[in-house]
Amino acid sequence: SVVGKEAALAETEKNFSSARSIEIEVLRTYEAAESVAGELRIIVNETDVLYVVDVVTFNRDGKIESIRAYIGRGD
């Protein structure tokens, strides 16, 4: 868990720079008035498979207010 834009950017940079490869497949997307969600299948280094659901909420100006990532299913 990280809080704040700078911490989120640093965590993302760390994750991408430490992997030899990252493949992201969008399985499903959902949208609501001020949010979107996506179910993703992420393959790291061609062997580690993660399923996550990312939920992004927006403020009234259309700027990102929050990003939450949840570890998902294993099937």
Side-chain angles (χ1 to χ4, degrees), residues 34-68:
E34 295 178 352
S35 61
V36 295
E39 181 183 7
L40 310 174
R41 178 176 175 247
I42 303 172
I43 304 171
V44 181
N45 297 333
E46 301 174 3
T47 58
D48 299 324
V49 179
L50 303 168
Y51 289 91
V52 300
V53 174
D54 285 350
V55 179
V56 182
T57 59
F58 301 91
N59 65 21
R60 292 179 189 214
D61 296 324
K63 295 184 178 185
I64 294 174
E65 187 171 89
S66 68
I67 302 172
R68 292 180 176 86

Side-chain angles (χ1 to χ4, degrees), residues 19-31:
R20 287 186 318 275
S21 66
I22 297 177
E23 178 183 336
I24 301 172
E25 177 184 1
V26 178
L27 302 175
R28 289 174 185 77
T29 58
Y30 307 90
E31 68 176 87

